[in-house]
Amino acid sequence: MRTQSTHDGPAFRRAVRELVAAFRPGGDDLLPALHKVHHEYGYIPRAAAEEVARQVGLPAARVWGAITFYSEFRTEPPADVTVGWCSGPACRLKGGDRVRRIFEVELGIGMGGKTVDNRAGLHMAQCNGQCELAPMVWLNGRERGNLSMADAVRIARELKAGKTGE
Amino acid sequence: MSDYLDLRQRAEETWNAWQRPGKTRIIYSSDTTSVGRGLADTVAALEQGIAARGLDVALQRVGSRGLHYMEPVVEVADAAGGHVLYGNVTANRVPALLSAVERGELARDLAVAVVSGPDVAGLPRLEDLPFWQGQVRRLMQFCGLIDPEVIDHYLAQAGYSGLARALQMTPEEVIKEMLDSGIWGRGGAAFPAGRKWDFLRTARGEPKYLICNADEGDPGAWVNRMLLECDPHVIIEGMLIAARATGATYGYIYVRDEYGLAVERMNMALAQARERGLLGENILGLGMTYDMEVFRGAGAYVCGDETGLLSSIDDDRGMPRIKPPFPAQAGVHNKPTNVNNVETYANAPLLFRNSVAWYREMGTERNSGTKMFSISGDIVRVGVVEVPFGVPMSTVLLGMGGGVPGGRALKAIQPGGPLSGVIPGSLVDLPLEPEAFRPHAVMMGGGGLTVASEDRCVLDLVKYFLIFCEDESCGRCTTCHGGSQRMVEIFERITSGQGKPSDIDTLQLLAQTLQWSNCAHGQLTPTAPLSAIRNFREELDAHIREKRCPARACPGLINYEVAAQGSGLAEAAAICPTGAVVQEGARYRIDDARCIRCDACREVAAPGVIQVTDRFLPVEVVAAPAR
Ligand SMILES: Cc1cc2nc3c(=O)[nH]c(=O)nc-3n(C[C@H](O)[C@H](O)[C@H](O)COP(=O)(O)O)c2cc1C
Ligand code: FES
């Protein structure tokens, strides 16, 4: 994983310009361009947002406004393992909020945070209709479902110990 | 028309070869739920096992039948016509299945039903499963039967013949047929689709656009996802028919970011349709020009609102706009636009392939046709079903869904997601029609039905919806973001023992204020709390006046206690995330200040060793003053 500091400077900006070269101003290209950047770097670096703004002909502030409006765009590099916590109703009924408290306490971070060693991050995710697995989390997109509370504690402890959960 | 017949003929050849390869077929169901339940490992095990055993079989993919409670589903169809469905085929069960296939026998332990062919003793037929009884599969007729990544499979089922027919009708005739069918929008507002299409047809301005709203933001609803992933072409065909009726030349399918597989399959479907001349210029040789793209959202509930969706495409934050102008006047790129839900468009091909009379055979006078529902929560069988409008909800929740597991009582039903509310389980017989739900202060909504058993707290669920609405407010109106914030605060208090009797009046006042929000997000945010006041007053009073959560779920109203120095306490102490299970000599107790009420200790200790108790002592309730 490249570090954040490499995501700036002329060479980086050139790479971003190349990545989003096909997008055009005045239309419907902002979100597709942002998705492309997000996919490439795992988040949207500030310098990349500025390059996207230039490419689609919008003020950088407006692009940044759009980025922060959507919950699936990150503006910081992700942790080694992102715990997507399902906030949905089936999960909630089956103890999802307790799962959240367990991850927060075990990892010592709040929703949206990352551990200082960058091993684990917590992200509030939405129900995508895998409710048969409630309550559930996604570890870097991979489902861990039908969790008991003890399961949640164990997963959190493994993440703390540097296991990736795969 | 000859273009279509050529396509169809080619497709039938592909389909026949797939269906009758002259050897046994092993068919796996592939959608986001089966993936979540281990499909990748199952497929790997199948591939490996087939190779290792040297089996001469065809391994094939289909969409899901909606049997999400038993995914991954694998079916075995032998060359002689026997076709059996197996459930819960996780990778570790694949060897047993393949051994049976190798011997030409039934894998008894995994077998669920006979799909077609001869009866098998002791095995029901698929249509006799409780999950199937009462279902009428029209929209879902090909879900689980065809490979959604192969356009020929759809074409071979007379797919796109509705379009071929519509292309030979005038736009006015197409719209008349839509109106006569009674099809209304499935995305929430229940507006007649034909009328909306006519708005766009008669709108001034070029080009005209179509948008398919596949944002499906209601948590607990995944009926749109079902069609996107398992039968993408029925949506494309529906939009093409709408294009014929309205003169639209370009379209967007706006899919929420969470639906990665749906994005992939829709993109694949669009490419294949384009390749067959079903998108682009001179479609089917009948002159129409129309194309479209998938547009991926990025996580924002208000982008499901049609005007939020427009803003999201138009290079901006997805802030809902003020109406008028309506999308038909000024939509995407400020041009005339029609927005419909996935399921709305998907109804059109059924109608045009058949007839108005056929369409109206299902449902009621006011609500013709069928509706898909996704059922989840405290229910035995989680999945997606399709029923005619007007069927009692109990048929779906108790019959197909199997009711609440473990013999617990059905306490509450949550139809329609965060902008709807909660009704008591005693209303389970309500007919599934929008009109039936309104008198109970909720909406039927887009298809999500979530069930809560007696041991769940309804107020906790309502609080969750309020937190959701606050979080997803676009921030434009103070009524909306401030009002929802205030409601969250009040619910936080009520669920932690700080509720006041006046809170109910305050909530009602806030609800009136929220009506003045710009869009339906703010306007409907009060639905859930108002439904709780109306339908769960006793539970609300218990929280407010007695400081008691009857379900013993609200963390601020319960304590954890060591009730007996029994077995499992060392394990409980080890699992506790906060070290709240404290050992003193040979005894254990719970340090209340550290306890986060996560229940992990109670789970690992022997039954009865750790107990949940009310935090506050019973109070003598002073009768509420007459209202
Ligand atoms: C906050 C909010 C969220 C909405 N989410 C959706 C959605 O996810 N899918 C949908 O089809 N309609 C949604 N709607 C309704 C749409 O605004 C619109 O009425 C619908 O897409 C029109 O299609 P229909 O006529 O086919 O129902 C939402 C409305 C609001 C206010
Ligand atoms: S509520 Fe968690 S997956 Fe649906």
Side-chain angles (χ1 to χ4, degrees):
Chain A
M1 164 103 5
R2 284 168 287 187
T3 62
Q4 188 173 13
S5 58
T6 65
H7 289 161
D8 203 353
F12 175 70
R13 283 174 184 266
R14 239 189 336 272
V16 174
R17 277 204 291 279
E18 229 163 85
L19 186 69
V20 299
F23 297 106
R24 294 281 166 259
D28 44 19
D29 279 357
L30 176 61
L31 281 197
L34 292 175
H35 274 303
K36 198 150 190 196
V37 170
H38 200 267
H39 185 78
E40 181 71 17
Y41 303 106
Y43 76 110
I44 302 179
R46 207 190 149 100
E50 286 167 9
E51 292 307 320
V52 167
R54 226 163 58 169
Q55 183 67 30
V56 300
L58 287 173
R62 233 177 106 183
V63 170
W64 199 253
I67 293 168
T68 53
F69 181 85
Y70 296 99
S71 55
E72 295 302 321
F73 286 143
R74 271 187 294 256
T75 54
E76 303 259 325
D80 297 344
V81 179
T82 298
V83 180
W85 167 75
C86 180
S87 58
C91 288
R92 178 96 187 184
L93 288 170
K94 297 187 170 185
D97 201 48
R98 288 182 270 126
V99 170
R100 178 180 62 82
R101 294 202 289 275
I102 287 170
F103 275 98
E104 286 176 348
V105 164
E106 279 289 342
L107 300 174
I109 56 178
M111 195 51 66
K114 282 192 295 184
T115 56
V116 276
D117 60 11
N118 206 52
R119 280 180 176 165
L122 264 181
H123 172 64
M124 189 168 97
Q126 297 296 342
C127 167
N128 70 348
Q130 293 180 310
C131 309
E132 170 59 30
L133 293 167
M136 72 181 302
V137 294
W138 292 272
L139 303 183
N140 280 349
R142 236 193 124 118
E143 299 79 3
R144 291 291 290 270
N146 302 126
L147 298 174
S148 68
M149 298 306 128
D151 291 339
V153 176
R154 288 186 200 109
I155 293 171
R157 286 179 183 166
E158 283 173 13
L159 292 176
K160 250 194 327 197
K163 295 199 187 131
T164 58
E166 321 230 318
Chain B
M1 200 60 195
S2 67
D3 286 20
Y4 176 72
L5 294 177
D6 286 350
L7 278 185
R8 175 89 169 264
Q9 196 179 359
R10 252 176 72 194
E12 273 164 14
E13 283 163 23
T14 313
W15 169 250
N16 288 336
W18 185 85
Q19 258 223 323
R20 281 185 285 278
K23 54 187 168 189
T24 296
R25 301 188 293 144
I26 299 181
I27 311 154
Y28 60 88
S29 141
S30 156
D31 79 334
T32 292
T33 302
S34 64
V35 168
R37 292 186 31 110
L39 181 68
D41 293 342
T42 296
V43 173
L46 283 168
E47 281 168 349
Q48 207 180 10
I50 289 168
R53 290 162 201 260
L55 293 179
D56 182 26
V57 298
L59 184 61
Q60 303 180 330
R61 170 188 50 223
V62 290
S64 169
R65 293 181 188 266
L67 296 155
H68 288 141
Y69 62 101
M70 58 161 91
E71 295 286 0
V73 164
V74 174
E75 300 172 25
V76 176
D78 60 41
H83 187 157
V84 172
L85 183 143
Y86 297 89
N88 291 308
V89 188
T90 41
N92 58 330
R93 293 181 168 138
V94 165
L97 180 68
L98 289 181
S99 296
V101 170
E102 198 167 13
R103 294 193 305 268
E105 290 170 5
L106 185 75
R108 198 38 94 170
D109 293 348
L110 297 171
V112 174
V114 174
V115 177
S116 59
D119 280 330
V120 177
L123 208 57
R125 303 201 62 98
L126 184 60
E127 56 275 16
D128 294 332
L129 289 182
F131 186 77
W132 224 269
Q133 279 182 21
Q135 287 205 50
V136 174
R137 292 205 160 190
R138 287 179 160 188
L139 292 154
M140 287 173 77
Q141 61 184 323
F142 306 134
C143 291
L145 294 179
I146 63 174
D147 185 339
E149 300 187 8
V150 182
I151 189 174
D152 281 340
H153 286 197
Y154 181 74
L155 278 164
Q157 323 300 321
Y160 289 105
S161 65
L163 170 68
R165 199 181 132 235
L167 283 177
Q168 294 166 81
M169 296 163 69
T170 65
E172 290 84 349
E173 285 167 345
V174 173
I175 284 173
K176 176 159 191 313
E177 199 152 322
M178 282 298 285
L179 286 170
D180 291 346
S181 73
I183 296 173
W184 46 257
R186 307 296 197 231
F191 194 83
R195 277 185 59 199
K196 234 196 226 177
W197 291 12
D198 206 37
F199 292 155
L200 185 64
R201 184 183 69 81
T202 55
R204 268 188 281 175
E206 300 278 332
K208 293 176 181 175
Y209 291 96
L210 294 179
I211 290 177
C212 173
N213 190 341
D215 199 50
E216 197 163 50
D218 288 346
W222 69 97
V223 296
N224 291 173
R225 197 198 84 200
M226 216 29 224
L227 290 179
L228 293 159
E229 291 179 349
C230 304
D231 197 8
H233 288 284
V234 78
I235 305 166
I236 300 174
E237 186 180 355
M239 290 182 77
L240 280 160
I241 293 170
R244 173 60 183 168
T246 59
T249 51
Y250 200 78
Y252 295 91
I253 303 179
Y254 189 100
V255 186
R256 68 197 295 239
D257 190 55
E258 290 84 349
Y259 285 1
L261 184 62
V263 168
E264 213 175 286
R265 290 208 167 138
M266 281 310 313
N267 271 322
M268 216 179 280
L270 288 180
Q272 292 179 5
R274 206 169 288 126
E275 194 247 331
R276 297 297 160 91
L278 288 158
L279 289 173
E281 283 173 20
N282 193 17
I283 290 169
L284 290 179
L286 292 170
M288 187 171 84
T289 296
Y290 177 82
D291 208 338
M292 59 184 171
E293 68 183 85
V294 172
F295 196 94
R296 187 168 192 165
Y301 182 67
V302 288
C303 290
D305 169 80
E306 56 186 13
T307 62
L309 195 161
L310 297 172
S311 300
S312 179
I313 295 177
D314 272 342
D315 274 358
D316 214 337
R317 290 191 271 175
M319 312 264 283
R321 302 172 181 177
I322 292 164
K323 288 191 275 195
F326 291 93
Q329 302 157 318
V332 71
H333 316 317
N334 247 342
K335 296 292 181 189
T337 303
N338 176 72
V339 185
N340 275 129
N341 174 262
V342 169
E343 203 178 327
T344 314
Y345 283 121
N347 268 291
L350 309 181
L351 170 65
F352 284 86
R353 220 174 277 165
N354 296 282
S355 65
V356 170
W358 173 88
Y359 190 86
R360 299 195 73 103
E361 272 167 23
M362 288 296 153
T364 63
E365 186 52 37
R366 276 183 308 196
N367 302 292
S368 54
T370 55
K371 176 84 194 76
M372 293 165 68
F373 291 95
S374 55
I375 53 180
S376 67
D378 293 312
I379 195 156
V380 174
R381 290 181 284 270
V382 173
V384 178
V385 302
E386 180 179 353
V387 290
F389 281 109
V391 160
M393 188 162 48
S394 49
T395 306
V396 168
L397 294 180
L398 307 183
M400 298 165 194
V404 177
R408 291 171 292 164
L410 167 55
K411 178 173 177 177
I413 302 161
Q414 202 289 305
L419 301 183
S420 176
V422 189
I423 53 175
S426 57
L427 291 177
V428 70
D429 283 320
L430 280 188
L432 287 165
E433 299 187 86
E435 297 83 357
F437 287 74
R438 288 187 201 127
H440 303 285
V442 299
M443 296 190 302
M444 187 184 82
L449 292 173
T450 308
V451 172
S453 67
E454 57 187 329
D455 41 359
R456 314 300 185 189
C457 177
V458 166
L459 300 189
D460 182 70
L461 190 63
V462 170
K463 181 171 76 177
Y464 151 65
F465 283 132
L466 285 171
I467 293 171
F468 180 94
C469 288
E470 183 205 4
D471 204 41
E472 296 292 344
S473 168
C474 82
R476 189 202 294 275
C477 321
T478 307
T479 45
C480 174
H481 70 81
S484 56
Q485 182 187 4
R486 193 75 196 94
M487 283 188 154
V488 169
E489 286 165 7
I490 291 173
F491 263 78
E492 293 282 10
R493 271 201 290 103
I494 291 175
T495 54
S496 63
Q498 311 296 315
K500 298 180 279 195
S502 61
D503 281 343
I504 298 202
D505 290 340
T506 311
L507 285 168
Q508 277 162 338
L509 184 66
L510 281 164
Q512 286 169 20
T513 313
L514 272 148
Q515 305 300 323
W516 297 100
S517 303
N518 156 35
C519 84
H521 182 78
Q523 290 158 13
L524 297 176
T525 288
T527 315
L530 290 180
S531 74
I533 293 173
R534 191 195 142 88
N535 301 326
F536 292 91
R537 187 59 188 258
E538 246 176 71
E539 190 159 6
L540 199 52
D541 282 341
H543 282 74
I544 293 177
R545 295 173 183 276
E546 299 170 45
K547 314 297 178 204
R548 188 172 63 83
C549 173
R552 294 213 170 120
C554 289
L557 293 174
I558 52 171
N559 283 342
Y560 276 76
E561 285 176 8
V562 177
Q565 298 294 326
S567 66
L569 279 165
E571 289 81 354
I575 203 78
C576 176
T578 59
V581 182
V582 190
Q583 191 179 9
E584 282 168 353
R587 299 177 65 83
Y588 288 86
R589 66 176 178 86
I590 288 177
D591 178 354
D592 185 61
R594 287 196 222 167
C595 174
I596 57 164
R597 283 111 177 114
C598 73
D599 210 45
C601 63
R602 200 183 57 85
E603 247 177 43
V604 300
V609 166
I610 292 177
Q611 277 185 359
V612 184
T613 57
D614 291 332
R615 184 171 182 80
F616 298 101
L617 294 173
V619 289
E620 208 177 306
V621 179
V622 186
R627 300 161 58 80

